[in-house]
Structures are given as C-alpha cells and as structure tokens.
Amino acid sequence: MQRRTSLKLLGAAGAGIAGLALVDWKWQILDRLSHVGFFTFEQEQLLTSLADTLIPEGMFEEGAPAPGALSTGTDQFLIKFFEKCLEKEEQEILIHELKVLQKRGFVGLSKQEREAVLEEYSKTEVESQKKFYQLVRSNTIFGFTTAKEVMVDHLGYQVAPGFYNGCVEEPAEKA
C-alpha cells in the first residue's frame, strides 16, 4: 500500500475543492463590482424580488409544486425586456421607482411587507408610482404566462395542434 501517494492525492483533491470554493466566492464579488448592464446589480436583485412577490412559488390542489416567476425565468425576461423594449420615459420612471424601493429596503422585507408595499403602489394616486406598478405587474404576468413551463407543461399548449392525415393512400415506390 502506498500511503504517501494516497495522502498526497487526498491533499491535492482537498486543496482543489477549497480553491474552487474560493474562486467562486471571488467571482461573485468581482461580478458585483464589475457588473455591466442597464440596471445595477442591486436593481436587478430588486426586479427579481418584485417578480417573486407578484408570482411566488406555490402548490396545486393535488400537492404538486406550481411554478413561480423565478423558476420560469420571468425575472431575467423582465430585465431584458425593460432594457431593450421600453421607451426612454418609461425607463426613467422605472429607474426612479426602483431607487425609491431600494431606499425602502424592499429586498430585505418579509413577504407580507413586500406585498403591503405593492398594495400601496396599486392604490396610489401618484401617476409615476401607478405607471411603475402597472408596468411591472403586466410584464411579469406576460413573461410568466408565456414561459414554456406554464404554457406547455401546465396549460397543455401545443404549437401545432392536431395532425395531418392525407386522404389518398399511395404505395411507397422504390427510388
């Protein structure tokens, strides 16, 4: 038995695993510091928590897990959609209200507190808050209901329903 070789291999494997954990940790820090995009890292986290608050994970009556906004990728859809498809005025309203929610500490609130904040936004008389709420809510619902997990797996949508059955039977010819 070659104990020294075995111990060296075990030590190298342990150092490799520790090195990978350290690299992953540093990668997350570097990603946060060097984040490039229309939204800041914190604003993307805020959009993710907004989507999760509007459509959380759930359970069907049968006990099967129901998809939520995060499991279907709706939060990533919102980030891309708001960046690429909105007019400048709507983007400015969105950024302003995200900053307001960020100051309120929306991400750190409990689920009930986040729902209460969104309830305030739905009943407000301030035009920018009302527009922000409608924009986020309608696009979250749109992104969720058009996701494959919801359309195909839950609603049973078929891209091309039915089948084509020809009316004439021709025997196959040899080529």
Side-chain angles (χ1 to χ4, degrees), residues 5-21:
T5 306
S6 297
L7 288 175
K8 287 178 187 177
L9 288 175
L10 284 174
I17 291 172
L20 288 174

Side-chain angles (χ1 to χ4, degrees), residues 4-170:
R4 291 183 183 178
T5 306
S6 297
L7 288 175
K8 287 178 187 177
L9 288 175
L10 284 174
I17 291 172
L20 288 174
L22 181 64
V23 166
D24 181 49
W25 177 68
K26 284 188 174 182
W27 183 265
Q28 291 175 4
I29 291 173
L30 286 174
D31 184 39
R32 182 176 277 225
L33 294 175
S34 63
H35 181 74
V36 178
F38 179 74
F39 295 108
T40 65
F41 183 79
E42 289 79 16
Q43 289 170 341
E44 287 184 3
Q45 297 297 322
L46 190 56
L47 282 171
T48 299
S49 66
L50 280 167
D52 187 40
T53 304
L54 288 169
I55 305 177
E57 303 288 325
M59 295 294 260
F60 292 122
E61 287 112 20
E62 302 88 32
L70 299 185
S71 65
T72 59
T74 303
D75 56 335
Q76 297 303 313
F77 164 77
L78 288 175
I79 291 168
K80 294 291 183 192
F81 182 80
F82 290 153
E83 177 182 353
K84 307 229 184 252
C85 300
L86 288 186
E87 299 290 329
K88 280 287 185 201
E89 299 84 30
E90 291 175 329
Q91 286 179 344
E92 290 170 3
I93 291 171
L94 184 72
I95 295 292
H96 172 72
E97 293 301 328
L98 285 175
K99 288 179 182 177
V100 170
L101 285 176
Q102 195 172 356
K103 288 179 186 174
R104 290 178 76 171
F106 186 82
V107 175
L109 298 175
S110 69
K111 181 180 176 185
Q112 289 79 17
E113 293 170 332
R114 287 187 294 180
E115 289 173 355
V117 169
L118 289 179
E119 187 73 25
E120 289 174 22
Y121 269 79
S122 69
K123 295 179 180 178
T124 186
E125 295 299 320
V126 180
E127 191 63 34
S128 65
Q129 290 180 350
K130 188 179 283 189
K131 190 164 187 161
F132 169 78
Y133 177 74
Q134 287 299 323
L135 187 67
V136 171
R137 182 178 175 269
S138 63
N139 287 306
T140 302
I141 293 170
F142 173 71
F144 177 74
T145 55
T146 57
K148 178 187 178 287
E149 292 86 355
V150 176
M151 291 290 290
V152 175
D153 299 341
H154 179 62
L155 298 176
Y157 175 78
Q158 293 179 346
V159 177
F163 301 96
Y164 175 73
N165 296 320
C167 62
V168 178
E169 291 189 27
E170 288 267 339

